[in-house]
Amino acid sequence: MKLFAAIEAGSFGLSMKIFEYQDGRMREIESLRHSMDMGTDAHALGRIKDEHMDEIFRVLREFQSVMKSYKVTEYTAYGTSALREVSNTLLFCDQVEQRTGIRIQVLSNTEQRYLNYKAIAAKSETFQKIIEQGTAIVDICGGGLQISLFDKDTLVCTQQLRLGLLRLQDQLQRLKVDGQDVESRVLELANPQLSVFKRMYLKGQKITNVIMVDEHISRYLMKKTGHEYGQGFWDGGEFAQLMDRASSMSKMEISRLLQAPEDRLDTMMLSGILLRRVMEVTGAEVLWVPGAELCDGIGYDYGEKHKLIVMYHDFEKDIIASVNNISKRYMGSKKRSETLERLALAIFDSVKKVHGLGKRERLLLRISALLHDCGKYISITTMGACSYSIIMATEIIGLSHLEQEMVANIVRFNHDDFEEAEGALRRSVDNQTYLTIAKLTAILRVANGLDRSHKQKFDVVKCQLKDDKLVISVETEQDISLEKGLVTERTAFFEQVFNVNVVIRQRRTAQEA
């Protein structure tokens, strides 16, 4: 048996859950929540007020005491959108650690959504069955609204819209909107962005289900049900009827209807309005509210990494599927990208002894290979710089901001001169990150050189490290004079990084036959 604590410092409060792992399953044994409005401070002031800082310190010290009572020795604490908007996040996190002993790491938007997505998987095996049909995960928080589309168990895309609850509340207050006018004004703000999303991502997509994740209305909708599937499931029409009823009620009446406190109704209704509109735009028939929270995703992620739970879903497959769709959006060659991926991974696996990199870096190499030519969508002559800009501006679910920057640089230096930008790169990242970028760039460059003609000439490629030589044996009946002649310039950087010479040997299968 293993115990672990998951802590969230979010826009609307602090939460902690303690999980027990046993026999391949994760079980929640304690749940604590303290409501406070950090998001408004961060959004309006760029900092957390002093009185709220004292409150944060006090609550986190209480969390520490609870962990000690359970004898929990391992925890992870994450900050979300509120802390991303604080002007000096490092100082905030340092103060928290000095005063409470708890170290908070701030998630990027894509990391936060990815953990929320894992939180859904943690709640029920139903998740796997639902996403076999067209499904949209709607994740609403203080900072934005994220929509992730699945089809046939594959993540098609994920996109953030600037429709966060705090942003909407701020706009409504500035416009002095209240009462019956709230819904119409929210829709005026939401419809333009949702229309663009529909035009870009829903063309030809049939969405049957919507899965809702938020910090407000979800927990109350989960208690009620209007669908034959059971708790947390709603028929789309019945959910629309509920929202119609609520829109004509007073706050006291809505509070009784949803069994929710009145002080949370404003944000709950904003979530409900956005959710209803997304269901209308997607044409979804069924709504599932699993009651998933970020702490569930943190716990699931810990169990996955430490092999403490039985996995029902391949999350790495979703990252790759999402990247393939990004490549497709920018007119990438599927066949060329898959060839480059295969060659790069063969080289990576063969030189493990000299690169010292792990599974996560292998994933970053795969992503870099699949996005290697995205910049040509803008310019062929400045493909490296354009690729960097596209990757940094695109959401890649599951990657941290640093990992996304690593991929962007690897793709950039696959085309551009690494040495010319070395000084600037050294100043912008730490030593370990710099070395990883250099190593993965060197591997991708060799793989790119092996398919210089873009004709995928090799039927079989085998790589073997022998002393100080990487022997790449290729089986093909085609003429590879071009590849042999031009690969030298691509291998020079590899030899510099790893102190390993690259030798290419051709085996003509037709002659042996």
Side-chain angles (χ1 to χ4, degrees):
M1 184 185 74
K2 178 74 176 178
L3 295 179
F4 170 79
I7 299 172
E8 175 194 358
S11 297
F12 301 98
L14 297 160
S15 302
M16 181 176 77
K17 289 188 177 185
I18 296 177
F19 298 100
E20 175 189 83
Y21 303 89
Q22 194 168 21
D23 300 326
R25 292 187 175 276
M26 180 179 87
R27 184 171 71 91
E28 178 188 313
I29 61 174
E30 182 65 88
S31 178
L32 302 172
R33 182 173 180 83
H34 178 84
S35 295
M36 63 179 294
D37 189 358
M38 288 191 286
T40 299
D41 288 359
H43 183 71
L45 306 173
R47 63 181 180 85
I48 306 297
K49 291 178 181 176
D50 291 342
E51 58 266 32
H52 282 163
M53 289 293 290
D54 291 337
E55 191 175 352
I56 291 167
F57 299 152
R58 177 180 60 78
V59 173
L60 289 178
R61 283 195 287 264
E62 290 174 2
F63 285 178
Q64 277 277 37
S65 297
V66 174
M67 283 193 283
K68 286 179 182 177
S69 70
Y70 278 96
K71 297 182 180 179
V72 173
T73 57
E74 292 189 57
Y75 75 91
T76 297
Y78 284 134
T80 60
S81 57
L83 300 192
R84 287 198 296 273
E85 297 200 21
V86 171
S87 59
N88 198 326
T89 304
L90 285 176
L91 282 178
F92 171 86
C93 293
D94 181 68
Q95 280 295 302
V96 168
E97 187 170 6
Q98 297 302 322
R99 302 291 187 91
T100 71
I102 290 178
R103 181 172 179 268
I104 294 179
Q105 303 168 65
V106 179
L107 296 168
S108 68
N109 177 65
T110 50
E111 288 177 300
Q112 180 183 340
R113 308 307 182 157
Y114 192 54
L115 286 174
N116 277 343
Y117 160 37
K118 288 190 173 184
I120 301 167
K123 280 292 180 182
S124 175
E125 295 171 21
T126 308
F127 171 70
Q128 191 64 35
K129 187 178 293 184
I130 285 178
I131 62 172
E132 289 174 1
Q133 298 177 306
T135 298
I137 295 179
V138 179
D139 184 351
I140 302 173
C141 72
L145 182 156
Q146 191 90 9
I147 304 178
S148 303
L149 301 180
F150 286 82
D151 187 37
K152 296 177 183 176
D153 188 27
T154 298
L155 181 63
V156 176
C157 75
T158 185
Q159 187 67 42
Q160 184 186 36
L161 308 182
R162 293 177 65 81
L163 295 171
L165 301 180
L166 292 173
R167 184 170 279 107
L168 289 174
Q169 282 184 318
D170 180 57
Q171 290 171 321
L172 293 173
Q173 286 170 4
R174 283 192 284 110
L175 294 170
K176 298 181 180 178
V177 177
D178 56 17
Q180 298 291 326
D181 294 330
V182 169
E183 182 169 359
S184 60
R185 291 294 177 268
V186 169
L187 293 179
E188 281 187 88
L189 293 167
N191 281 336
Q193 294 186 54
L194 287 170
S195 295
V196 172
F197 179 83
K198 182 177 182 178
R199 189 165 62 250
M200 290 186 66
Y201 301 106
L202 290 176
K203 197 172 182 180
Q205 291 279 340
K206 177 173 172 50
I207 302 299
T208 303
N209 310 302
V210 162
I211 303 175
M212 169 67 164
V213 181
D214 86 328
E215 299 179 42
H216 303 283
I217 200 170
S218 287
R219 66 186 63 191
Y220 302 103
L221 287 179
M222 191 180 70
K223 297 174 186 175
K224 304 175 75 68
T225 182
H227 198 281
E228 59 184 295
Y229 290 171
Q231 187 179 46
F233 281 92
W234 285 78
D235 178 270
E238 290 184 341
F239 173 69
Q241 289 174 17
L242 176 74
M243 290 300 299
D244 285 339
R245 286 176 62 195
S247 65
S248 61
M249 290 179 170
S250 67
K251 282 192 175 183
M252 185 179 294
E253 290 171 326
I254 298 172
S255 178
R256 288 200 198 102
L257 175 67
L258 296 177
Q259 299 176 0
E262 284 191 40
D263 62 353
R264 307 202 61 178
L265 291 182
D266 289 341
T267 48
M268 285 175 61
M269 290 305 294
L270 287 178
S271 285
I273 291 166
L274 290 173
L275 175 58
R276 178 180 180 176
R277 185 60 188 137
V278 170
M279 291 196 69
E280 290 171 349
V281 168
T282 59
E285 302 162 6
V286 176
L287 168 65
W288 181 35
V289 188
E293 298 177 356
L294 183 68
C295 283
D296 300 309
I298 298 171
Y300 193 94
D301 187 62
Y302 176 85
E304 177 191 359
K305 287 177 179 175
H306 292 82
K307 297 181 171 59
L308 297 171
I309 54 177
V310 176
M311 300 292 296
Y312 294 99
H313 187 76
D314 186 347
F315 292 97
E316 188 170 302
K317 175 185 170 187
D318 290 327
I319 295 174
I320 295 301
S322 177
V323 169
N324 274 319
N325 280 290
I326 294 169
S327 177
K328 183 179 179 181
R329 188 189 315 161
Y330 292 105
M331 309 296 287
S333 166
K334 187 173 185 292
K335 191 172 181 181
R336 160 75 170 160
S337 294
E338 288 176 347
T339 298
L340 204 58
E341 178 190 12
R342 178 169 58 88
L343 293 170
L345 293 182
I347 297 168
F348 180 95
D349 292 340
S350 67
V351 292
K352 283 182 181 178
K353 291 181 181 179
V354 294
H355 63 51
L357 303 176
K359 183 179 178 182
R360 191 66 181 179
E361 290 78 17
R362 191 178 190 272
L363 174 63
L364 298 183
L365 179 62
R366 290 185 71 187
I367 294 169
S368 302
L370 294 171
L371 295 178
H372 75 282
D373 63 348
C374 63
K376 73 180 181 186
Y377 185 83
I378 298 173
S379 170
I380 294 176
T381 54
T382 58
M383 195 185 304
C386 291
S387 294
Y388 179 91
S389 297
I390 286 173
I391 292 168
M392 291 305 295
T394 304
E395 290 194 344
I396 304 177
I397 195 166
L399 298 192
S400 67
H401 178 80
L402 178 60
E403 288 175 329
Q404 192 159 339
E405 190 169 4
M406 289 168 72
V407 169
N409 276 303
I410 293 161
V411 174
R412 174 187 172 192
F413 293 124
N414 177 49
H415 304 287
D416 295 347
D417 193 298
F418 188 93
E419 289 80 358
E420 284 185 8
E422 184 176 10
L425 184 62
R426 288 294 296 268
R427 290 190 294 272
S428 66
V429 298
D430 60 57
N431 289 341
Q432 188 58 52
T433 301
Y434 166 81
L435 288 172
T436 302
I437 291 170
K439 290 174 183 179
L440 295 182
T441 298
I443 292 171
L444 187 60
R445 281 186 175 185
V446 174
N448 198 19
L450 290 171
D451 190 35
R452 198 70 183 86
S453 66
H454 292 210
K455 291 183 178 180
Q456 296 83 51
K457 294 179 179 179
F458 308 141
D459 301 320
V460 179
V461 177
K462 293 181 181 178
C463 300
Q464 188 175 9
L465 185 64
K466 295 181 178 180
D467 299 323
D468 60 349
K469 291 182 181 178
L470 173 64
V471 180
I472 302 176
S473 303
V474 300
E475 290 188 15
T476 181
E477 299 177 18
Q478 298 187 49
D479 180 8
I480 62 167
S481 301
L482 177 67
E483 283 73 15
K484 278 189 171 182
L486 295 180
V487 79
T488 304
E489 64 186 62
R490 310 289 298 183
T491 60
F493 185 61
F494 182 95
E495 292 168 359
Q496 177 188 335
V497 169
F498 295 113
N499 196 30
V500 170
N501 295 321
V502 179
V503 178
I504 299 175
R505 293 177 180 169
Q506 180 179 7
R507 180 182 174 190
R508 294 187 178 275
T509 53
Q511 290 180 358
E512 292 190 1

